[in-house]
């Protein structure tokens, strides 16, 4: 494993800046003089109160539309503000002890990228891939022009972009569409960036395939754990914990070589509160996220059980990337549960590499042991209309769960219908 030491303790609170501050979609688009990026500063204390220790930012670099059509990797998007606004945000994060993860698009660029415009005007075209019909694109999107990753100048450019913003205060990079880039490119880029910034962390966006092999080939520290994300909501909806257990066995295999980024929501998927058929099982999804191994990511808004559906159409992401106003002042049960479970995890940093083992497994009942480094918790999940009864391998202390369970040491569990319980062996 190549994770820097600080990653063992990080819990990301993820923000999609252009939507968060109302900069996209917006007509007319805001100008740099509105300094909208600074609106995120007003939310940093909320991130701390939630229990997060890192801010994962979506795209902040100059682009025409959604941020993933980068125009200039060295310039803050004027719809968000200025370089000085970015420095202020970094200072405010640093003052609160929040790490910062940036979102870098190095597979493709937007059609206003200067070298692409020059290539269209007859200049050198060697920065870009070509297909049978001209310039290559990302997954057929004509506004996203694919870079030529065999070009040493593209390698050097990517290194300099990463270095520039790490020197400005960032702690790591999410590598957008990393799955579409040949691993040899990352093999040339990441070692040089690590040489300059040995404490930096690199997350590859990978949706499917052999995660461990891709980490080994490319040299990422981590990848996005979409397998587990899908298994969590699917198993809860279908009342099929066998699917979840299979995914957690795979997850345990991954943890032997790297620690994935785990999540139940992000800027690219339907919000978990809308994805689940039974809102009672939102708690189960969160319990799973925060008691399994991984580097957890909380997508802003999920802590209030916000709802939104991603649609496969132009503008179909907008609903899951809304504008945020002032932080809500009213307490909320789902927010309090986030705070409790994040607190539990931060008190038990060994959960970062914890693997799970099924103790009881039926379609509707799942009791698993999660452990590492001689520590363990037992978690019981019930999605049935009847109570779940289970014997524990040894007596433990109930520390959280449905129905205000006893805090004394117990040998047997009775989990209420659609409830859950966590037992501590510390």
């Amino acid at each position: 494993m190549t994770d820097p030491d600080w990653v063992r303790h990080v819990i990301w609170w993820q923000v999609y800046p252009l939507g968060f501050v109302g900069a996209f979609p917006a007509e007319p688009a805001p100008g740099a003089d509105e300094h909208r990026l600074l609106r995120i500063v007003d939310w940093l204390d909320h991130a701390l109160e939630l229990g997060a220790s890192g801010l994962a930012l979506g795209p902040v670099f100059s682009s025409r539309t959604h941020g993933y059509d980068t125009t200039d990797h060295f310039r803050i998007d004027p719809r968000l503000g200025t370089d000085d606004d970015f420095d202020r945000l970094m200072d405010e994060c640093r003052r609160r002890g929040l790490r910062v993860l940036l979102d870098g698009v190095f597979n493709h660029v937007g059609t206003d990228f200067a070298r692409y415009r020059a290539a269209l005007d007859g200049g050198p075209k060697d920065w870009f891939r070509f297909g049978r019909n001209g310039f290559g694109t990302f997954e057929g999107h004509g506004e996203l022009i694919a870079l030529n990753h065999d070009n040493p100048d593209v390698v050097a450019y990517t290194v300099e972009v990463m270095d520039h913003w790490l020197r400005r205060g960032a702690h790591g990079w999410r590598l957008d569409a990393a799955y579409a880039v040949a691993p040899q490119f990352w093999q040339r880029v990441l070692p040089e960036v690590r040489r300059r910034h040995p404490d930096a962390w690199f997350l590859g966006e990978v949706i499917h395939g052999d995660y461990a092999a891709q980490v080994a080939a490319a040299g990422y520290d981590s990848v996005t754990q979409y397998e587990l994300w899908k298994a969590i909501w699917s198993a809860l909806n279908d009342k099929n914990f066998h699917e979840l257990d299979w995914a957690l066995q795979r997850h345990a295999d991954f943890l032997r070589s790297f620690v994935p980024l785990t999540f139940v929501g992000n800027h690219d998927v339907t919000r978990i509160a809308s994805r689940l058929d039974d809102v009672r099982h939102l708690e189960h999804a969160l319990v799973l996220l925060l008691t399994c191994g991984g580097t957890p990511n909380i997508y802003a808004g999920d802590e209030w059980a916000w709802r939104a559906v991603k649609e496969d159409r132009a503008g179909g992401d907008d609903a899951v990337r809304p504008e945020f106003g002032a932080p809500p002042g009213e307490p909320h049960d789902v927010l309090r549960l986030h705070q409790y479970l994040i607190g539990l995890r931060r008190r038990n940093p060994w959960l970062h590499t914890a693997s799970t083992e099924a103790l009881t497994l039926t379609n509707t009942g799942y009791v698993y042991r999660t452990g590492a480094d001689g520590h363990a918790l037992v978690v019981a999940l019930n999605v049935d209309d009847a109570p779940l009864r289970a014997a524990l391998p040894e007596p433990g202390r109930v520390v959280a769960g449905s129905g205000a369970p006893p805090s004394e040491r117990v040998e047997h569990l009775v989990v209420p219908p659609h409830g859950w319980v966590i037992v501590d062996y510390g």
Side-chain angles (χ1 to χ4, degrees):
M1 295 184 185
T2 58
D3 277 356
D5 288 343
W6 60 265
V7 178
R8 184 168 180 254
H9 302 277
V10 78
I11 294 173
W12 298 109
W13 186 61
Q14 183 196 1
V15 167
Y16 174 76
L18 287 166
F20 193 94
V21 304
F24 178 82
E27 186 61 42
D33 58 346
E34 295 186 34
H35 306 286
R36 292 203 179 194
L37 189 64
L38 297 181
R39 295 185 185 183
I40 298 175
V41 172
D42 296 336
W43 283 80
L44 296 181
D45 288 340
H46 164 73
L48 289 184
E49 291 165 5
L50 182 66
S53 51
L55 174 65
L57 287 172
V60 296
F61 309 119
S62 181
S63 71
R64 281 179 57 186
T65 61
H66 44 57
Y68 291 100
D69 55 337
T70 313
T71 297
D72 186 345
H73 292 84
F74 289 101
R75 182 186 182 204
I76 295 299
D77 195 310
R79 294 172 295 174
L80 294 175
T82 66
D83 263 21
D84 287 343
D85 296 333
F86 177 83
D87 290 339
R88 164 83 185 281
L89 177 59
M90 294 301 99
D91 288 343
E92 294 290 346
C93 287
R94 188 178 304 111
R95 189 166 67 82
R96 293 167 173 82
L98 291 169
R99 303 277 179 169
V100 177
L101 183 71
L102 295 181
D103 199 346
V105 188
F106 302 111
N107 175 66
H108 51 268
V109 294
T111 54
D112 283 346
F113 189 70
R115 288 184 180 273
Y116 176 67
R117 303 308 305 179
L120 288 179
D121 291 338
K125 298 176 173 58
D126 58 343
W127 270 56
F128 306 100
R129 293 201 295 263
F130 278 84
R132 283 178 290 182
N133 299 317
F135 286 96
T137 62
F138 173 56
E139 297 183 347
H141 299 286
E143 72 279 10
L144 304 178
I145 309 303
L147 289 166
N148 174 15
H149 298 103
D150 293 328
N151 185 337
D153 291 339
V154 175
V155 172
Y157 176 82
T158 304
V159 169
E160 293 309 315
V161 170
M162 289 186 176
D163 173 65
H164 175 82
W165 297 104
L166 289 169
R167 284 189 285 109
R168 293 278 292 274
H171 299 88
W173 285 92
R174 174 189 178 271
L175 308 175
D176 181 71
Y179 59 87
V181 180
Q184 293 80 4
F185 175 76
W186 302 119
Q187 288 173 3
R188 293 191 287 270
V189 168
L190 297 182
E192 175 58 23
V193 182
R194 283 195 179 98
R195 186 186 68 78
R196 303 182 191 186
H197 303 276
D199 214 26
W201 186 67
F202 301 95
L203 166 72
E205 184 199 13
V206 177
I207 298 174
H208 45 65
D210 187 338
Y211 291 164
Q214 292 180 72
V215 167
Y220 320 124
D221 293 305
S222 182
V223 297
T224 48
Q225 224 305 26
Y226 272 93
E227 282 189 17
L228 185 57
W229 162 78
K230 192 271 181 184
I232 288 174
W233 60 259
S234 179
L236 292 171
N237 282 349
D238 295 345
K239 296 186 177 180
N240 179 13
F241 278 128
H242 294 277
E243 176 186 2
L244 177 61
D245 184 64
W246 176 253
L248 284 171
Q249 290 180 51
R250 291 260 301 167
H251 189 64
D253 288 340
F254 300 147
L255 285 162
R256 294 186 179 96
S257 57
F258 74 98
V259 180
L261 181 91
T262 51
F263 58 94
V264 294
N266 66 30
H267 66 296
D268 281 328
V269 300
T270 290
R271 285 193 181 271
I272 187 65
S274 294
R275 177 66 77 174
L276 291 171
D277 296 338
D278 189 331
V279 70
R280 292 174 293 183
H281 300 157
L282 182 60
E283 295 186 6
H284 299 63
L286 188 61
V287 169
L288 281 160
L289 173 65
L290 291 167
T291 62
C292 293
T295 302
N297 181 84
I298 307 295
Y299 184 46
D302 283 354
E303 65 267 43
W304 290 285
W306 285 7
R307 294 176 174 271
V309 175
K310 175 187 171 74
E311 298 179 3
D312 188 15
R313 59 172 178 81
D317 294 317
D318 296 347
V320 299
R321 303 173 178 181
E323 182 174 2
F324 282 56
E330 295 297 319
H332 192 285
D333 287 345
V334 176
L335 173 62
R336 284 193 287 259
L337 181 59
H338 274 78
Q339 290 171 322
Y340 178 82
L341 291 172
I342 290 172
L344 177 70
R345 190 177 188 93
R346 295 191 67 174
R347 292 191 299 274
N348 295 278
W350 55 267
L351 282 164
H352 182 63
T353 55
S355 60
T356 61
E357 173 191 6
L359 303 178
T360 298
L361 176 59
T362 69
N363 285 342
T364 58
Y366 191 36
V367 181
Y368 62 91
R369 178 186 183 274
T370 181
D373 303 328
H375 304 280
L377 298 173
V378 167
V379 180
L381 306 175
N382 182 16
V383 294
D384 203 345
D385 294 332
L388 169 67
R389 291 176 170 79
L392 295 172
E394 57 184 291
R397 183 171 60 90
V398 175
V399 293
S402 308
S407 59
E408 67 266 16
R409 299 183 77 81
V410 296
E411 297 182 8
H412 296 83
L413 292 178
V414 179
V415 185
H418 303 278
W420 56 274
V421 170
I422 300 176
V423 178
D424 189 3
Y425 286 92

